[in-house]
Amino acid sequence: MKGLPIKIKFTLWYLAVLSLILTVLGTGIYAAMSSRLHSSFDDSLKKRADQIVDFKDIIPIVAGGAFEEETGELISFYFYFDHALVNVSHRQIEIPAGEECINAVLGGENLYKTIELNNKPFTLYAVPYSPEPKRIMLDKFNIDPNNGAGRKKVRFTNPKLPDEIEIEKAVLIVARSTKDLDRALTTLFHILLYSLPITLFLSGWGGIFLLNRILRPIDDISQTTRKIEETDLTQRIKVTADDELGHLAQTINQMLSRLEKAFTRQKQLTSDASHELRGPIAVIQAEASLSLQKKRQAQSYRTSIEVIATAAERMSGIIKQLLFLARTDSSSQSLSFKSIDVHLLVSNLCDELDVLCQDKGLNLRYTSKGTVLIEGDESLLRTLFINLLTNAIRYTPVGGHINVDVSIENNMAVITFQDTGIGIPPKDVPYIFERFYRVDKARSRESGGSGLGLSIADQIVQVHHGRILVTSEMDTGSTFVVKLPVIS
Ligand code: ADP
């Protein structure tokens, strides 16, 4: 069963359960019908016997053949005369009830019994009968007392009877053939028996049909996912229904979209990183081979080594940033979150970097209303604020102003870096948080930028469940606002 396809497994289970249910149901129906028919048959026999019992002088009528019987019924009376059992039956058809049964009824019992008469099944009902008057003239029987109709042998010859006899107690027996009843029950049995495989077949077929319909979307899902390769994540599963399977297909499609994005980003990052690293490597190679071409003066070697060192430093910076991004990307990164006063952190950073501003002739101003506590990783938050502040310094011309502010708004710590720098063209604003994106490649590279600072900042903000927003106007300045949840 284990290795079988789900369709076959389901069908086998379905058919097994269905046949069990149908068998139990069929047996139940048959048993209920049989008991109902038998009990209404028995009731009608009893009713008929109760009717006849009320006619106290009916024995001579039966014996005389004047009894009006209902269709298919037999009537017999039994009584003892002179220690011998005498039988008087309508149409002289004696109901073979058996002496034991007759004695039991004479003892006061009413009973049913199944017998066979002329190879046909019969059910009889026997009740005690007290004739009135008790003395019965045999000539009223309208028969020859010794050899006539109406007298039958009980075991199997009636004794010679006198002209007049006295009957104290008799037994009335009413019997009807159960042939029709048995036939009806046999027909019902056959109907149930033959309908079982037909029902099984039809519902099995219906079940398989339904199952195929239900499983079709799963087939679609598995076929599409089989087609998806690492290199081609553009395939999507057709969503045809708004049910659980439709939702599953949607979820898989969303996962594929995320994977596709991640793969594209990864590819882009690899190509951008190699492109970025190619520059300094080319410089190192060119400088080294130039130096090795011929013997040079010590100063010339020194200049070459300085160029190589700068290029290597640049490469090392890029690699460090890439590693940082990879680490904050992966979930295995263990972040040490603790309570941090952003006001203290940013104000210290401003103090540390003020020297750079002074070098460049910039005016750095820090404002805050005091302690702002957030839950965060101090080293990551330092990197975030350094990146934003160094960008402001890098892209603000001499004599410009940089204002840094820390405040609280709607349970969020709001850290604002506003500069009067060159600004960002509106068309570039949506992309500046992408890895290696630079507005002006040459100028950014010249000033030491790698295009990774803002994407690192964005990633750190995300790790802290915050938001980073930017507004900028060309030649007027830019404002970067970081919002992080405060400790409540
Ligand atoms: P980079 O290392 O090149 O500065 P970033 O990711 O930090 O890379 O920034 C991406 C781009 O956004 C930069 O190339 C720059 O053009 C622009 N940018 C970032 N900050 C500022 C700012 N304060 N003023 C003007 N332009 C900025």
Side-chain angles (χ1 to χ4, degrees):
M1 200 75 168
K2 252 186 179 173
L4 288 176
I6 196 163
K7 275 184 205 172
I8 298 183
K9 253 191 247 178
F10 176 84
T11 311
L12 289 177
W13 273 109
Y14 177 70
L15 289 179
V17 172
L18 199 70
S19 44
L20 189 74
I21 292 171
L22 288 176
T23 311
V24 171
L25 210 71
T27 316
I29 291 174
Y30 182 79
M33 286 299 283
S34 161
S35 117
R36 223 192 150 83
L37 286 174
H38 275 111
S39 82
S40 71
F41 184 88
D42 291 352
D43 281 354
S44 76
L45 266 185
K46 184 177 178 302
K47 237 189 216 163
R48 184 62 177 150
D50 289 347
Q51 256 177 14
I52 298 170
V53 159
D54 287 343
F55 294 102
K56 301 290 184 194
D57 54 350
I58 205 164
I59 293 178
I61 298 170
V62 172
F67 176 74
E68 279 179 28
E69 95 262 37
E70 285 183 355
T71 337
E73 80 181 356
L74 298 174
I75 301 281
S76 280
F77 286 95
Y78 283 95
F79 53 87
Y80 276 100
F81 178 77
D82 205 13
H83 303 295
L85 200 51
V86 180
N87 159 256
V88 176
S89 294
H90 176 57
R91 287 203 273 135
Q92 300 175 50
I93 305 169
E94 179 193 337
I95 305 169
E99 202 170 344
E100 212 175 293
C101 161
I102 287 157
N103 288 337
V105 178
L106 283 172
E109 271 184 55
N110 297 0
L111 49 83
Y112 290 99
K113 191 176 174 185
T114 307
I115 54 162
E116 206 170 276
L117 186 60
N118 298 334
N119 292 327
K120 282 186 201 153
F122 274 79
T123 294
L124 62 81
Y125 182 60
V127 283
Y129 180 77
S130 306
E132 209 57 63
K134 300 207 181 306
R135 290 195 75 76
I136 296 171
M137 297 296 289
L138 278 191
D139 59 355
K140 281 211 181 155
F141 278 49
N142 200 17
I143 51 166
D144 176 348
N146 297 317
N147 191 23
R151 287 184 293 117
K152 274 267 184 173
K153 291 174 202 159
V154 175
R155 280 197 228 114
F156 293 100
T157 315
N158 274 342
K160 281 202 167 185
L161 298 170
D163 291 347
E164 190 181 81
I165 56 168
E166 187 170 314
I167 305 172
E168 189 58 39
K169 252 185 179 177
V171 172
L172 161 66
I173 297 175
V174 184
R176 275 185 194 150
S177 165
T178 54
K179 211 173 110 192
D180 290 346
L181 176 72
D182 291 345
R183 201 180 293 147
L185 284 173
T186 312
T187 312
L188 176 68
F189 178 75
H190 284 134
I191 289 173
L192 290 172
L193 190 73
Y194 297 134
S195 64
L196 180 82
I198 295 171
T199 320
L200 262 184
F201 173 77
L202 287 179
S203 41
W205 185 81
I208 292 166
F209 173 77
L210 277 178
L211 190 69
N212 266 330
R213 280 194 71 124
I214 293 168
L215 288 182
R216 199 175 305 144
I218 297 185
D219 275 347
D220 285 352
I221 291 173
S222 70
Q223 265 175 28
T224 315
T225 41
R226 216 174 294 139
K227 270 193 243 161
I228 296 166
E229 289 171 25
E230 217 178 275
T231 45
D232 178 21
L233 288 163
T234 53
Q235 301 266 3
R236 292 290 178 275
I237 298 156
K238 253 190 270 153
V239 181
T240 46
D242 186 25
D243 53 13
E244 286 82 351
L245 288 174
H247 297 166
L248 174 68
Q250 268 171 357
T251 313
I252 294 177
N253 280 346
Q254 282 163 1
M255 185 190 75
L256 286 173
S257 298
R258 283 199 301 273
L259 276 178
E260 190 188 0
K261 256 192 202 162
F263 269 107
T264 317
R265 249 174 69 179
Q266 204 67 34
K267 254 161 79 181
Q268 186 65 39
L269 182 69
T270 317
S271 107
D272 288 347
S274 10
H275 184 79
E276 256 341 284
L277 292 171
R278 212 181 297 144
I281 288 175
V283 170
I284 292 171
Q285 277 176 336
E287 208 56 50
S289 58
L290 207 71
S291 305
L292 291 172
Q293 259 174 19
K294 55 180 184 179
K295 220 171 172 200
R296 292 173 190 278
Q297 297 219 320
Q299 183 54 37
S300 167
Y301 283 125
R302 191 177 172 80
T303 315
S304 290
I305 291 168
E306 272 170 8
V307 172
I308 289 172
T310 314
E313 200 180 312
R314 200 174 142 61
M315 275 171 64
S316 142
I318 293 171
I319 291 166
K320 250 195 228 158
Q321 283 182 312
L322 281 173
L323 278 175
F324 183 90
L325 275 171
R327 253 187 274 129
T328 34
D329 242 358
S330 72
S331 52
S332 60
Q333 160 91 357
S334 56
L335 301 167
S336 56
F337 270 46
K338 60 177 185 184
S339 163
I340 290 165
D341 181 1
V342 194
H343 150 65
L344 204 65
L345 180 66
V346 179
S347 100
N348 283 343
L349 271 178
C350 287
D351 287 346
E352 283 169 34
L353 296 185
D354 192 38
V355 60
L356 292 180
C357 295
Q358 284 173 19
D359 271 1
K360 212 180 157 185
L362 300 175
N363 177 12
L364 174 64
R365 202 164 79 96
Y366 173 73
T367 50
S368 164
K369 285 200 178 85
T371 309
V372 176
L373 289 177
I374 67 157
E375 193 81 32
D377 183 300
E378 189 167 354
S379 129
L380 289 186
L381 290 172
R382 249 183 91 80
T383 309
L384 161 68
F385 300 134
I386 287 177
N387 284 3
L388 294 176
L389 195 51
T390 49
N391 271 353
I393 297 169
R394 192 178 291 155
Y395 299 109
T396 304
V398 181
H401 296 272
I402 298 170
N403 293 321
V404 180
D405 181 70
V406 174
S407 64
I408 297 182
E409 241 176 62
N410 300 328
N411 276 337
M412 297 291 266
V414 182
I415 306 102
T416 311
F417 296 85
Q418 188 220 339
D419 64 55
T420 56
I422 56 171
I424 306 163
K427 68 170 177 50
D428 294 302
V429 172
Y431 308 107
I432 54 168
F433 292 102
E434 284 178 12
R435 291 170 186 191
F436 288 115
Y437 190 88
R438 283 175 296 209
V439 174
D440 179 342
K441 288 190 195 315
R443 192 179 53 190
S444 165
R445 201 173 286 139
E446 251 168 43
S447 55
S450 61
L452 288 172
L454 283 184
S455 52
I456 288 175
D458 185 39
Q459 199 155 306
I460 295 172
V461 170
Q462 278 180 36
V463 166
H464 287 81
H465 311 290
R467 274 181 300 150
I468 182 164
L469 311 161
V470 56
T471 47
S472 184
E473 209 174 305
M474 286 300 283
D475 302 322
T476 306
S478 311
T479 307
F480 285 82
V481 180
V482 175
K483 293 187 176 184
L484 302 169
V486 291
I487 297 173
S488 47

